[in-house]
């Protein structure tokens, strides 16, 4: 069985400026102007942070290149009232998502991969941490 080497690419080195998203490496603190979405009338929440933690897998010879990114989606995030505590709360949601991205990067970097199972191993690692992320987000909202 041949073992593949893994390279984790930090998205902050690759990203371009994006008007629709804020990558964690660009800026960690959110501002009122970042929330461009329209709040649903039926929502009882004061704000909503839409984030993405993504992975991209590319194979090159005997190496697997994995890109993991965390970013805030401006057009799908909204805020009803300009309140500094609310912004701080939503910023922590973004930080929790970045923590998950870092845990995914760390776990993937420790994997020993073969030609046959590298996609499954990376995807299952991603899903494990993403499920933990959702639990952390819910727990944070209950505090």
């Amino acid at each position: 069985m041949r073992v593949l080497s893994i390279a984790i690419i930090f998205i902050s080195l690759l990203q371009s400026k994006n008007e629709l998203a804020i990558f964690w490496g660009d800026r960690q603190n959110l501002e009122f102007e970042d929330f461009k979405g329209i709040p649903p009338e039926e929502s009882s929440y004061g704000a909503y942070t839409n984030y993405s933690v993504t992975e991209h897998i590319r194979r090159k010879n005997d190496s697997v290149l994995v890109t993991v990114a965390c970013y805030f989606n401006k057009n799908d995030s909204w805020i009803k009232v300009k309140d500094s505590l609310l912004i701080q709360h939503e910023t922590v949601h973004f930080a929790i998502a970045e923590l998950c991205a870092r845990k995914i990067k760390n776990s993937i970097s420790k994997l020993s991969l073969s030609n046959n199972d590298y996609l499954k191993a990376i995807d299952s690692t991603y899903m494990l941490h993403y499920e933990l992320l959702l639990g952390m987000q819910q727990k944070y909202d209950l505090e």
Side-chain angles (χ1 to χ4, degrees), residues 77-137:
S77 300
W78 49 265
I79 192 164
K80 289 182 179 179
V81 180
K82 288 189 174 187
D83 178 280
S84 61
L85 289 177
L86 196 53
I87 284 290
Q88 289 173 359
H89 178 89
E90 296 307 309
T91 298
V92 172
H93 278 296
F94 187 30
I96 292 170
E98 172 61 18
L99 174 64
C100 173
R102 291 179 185 198
K103 287 184 175 198
I104 291 169
K105 291 173 193 175
N106 186 46
S107 292
I108 290 173
S109 71
K110 294 177 181 177
L111 292 174
S112 179
L113 303 175
S114 71
N115 285 322
N116 298 329
D117 70 352
Y118 73 95
L119 286 174
K120 183 178 178 183
I122 292 170
D123 284 341
S124 64
T125 299
Y126 173 87
M127 289 309 299
L128 170 75
H129 287 288
Y130 197 81
E131 288 172 16
L132 292 171
L133 165 65
L134 297 178
M136 290 171 66
Q137 297 287 20

Side-chain angles (χ1 to χ4, degrees), residues 13-58:
L13 300 175
L14 303 175
Q15 67 199 30
S16 60
K17 295 295 177 196
N18 188 333
E19 297 300 317
L20 302 177
I22 299 170
F23 286 87
W24 181 263
D26 285 346
R27 179 165 47 95
Q28 290 79 36
N29 293 319
L30 300 175
E31 300 171 359
F32 295 114
E33 298 75 29
D34 297 328
F35 293 79
K36 302 206 179 285
I38 299 170
E41 289 181 25
E42 67 277 1
S43 178
S44 61
Y45 293 111
Y48 173 72
T49 294
N50 184 288
Y51 56 83
S52 295
V53 176
T54 62
E55 67 171 348
H56 177 74
I57 304 166
R58 188 172 58 120

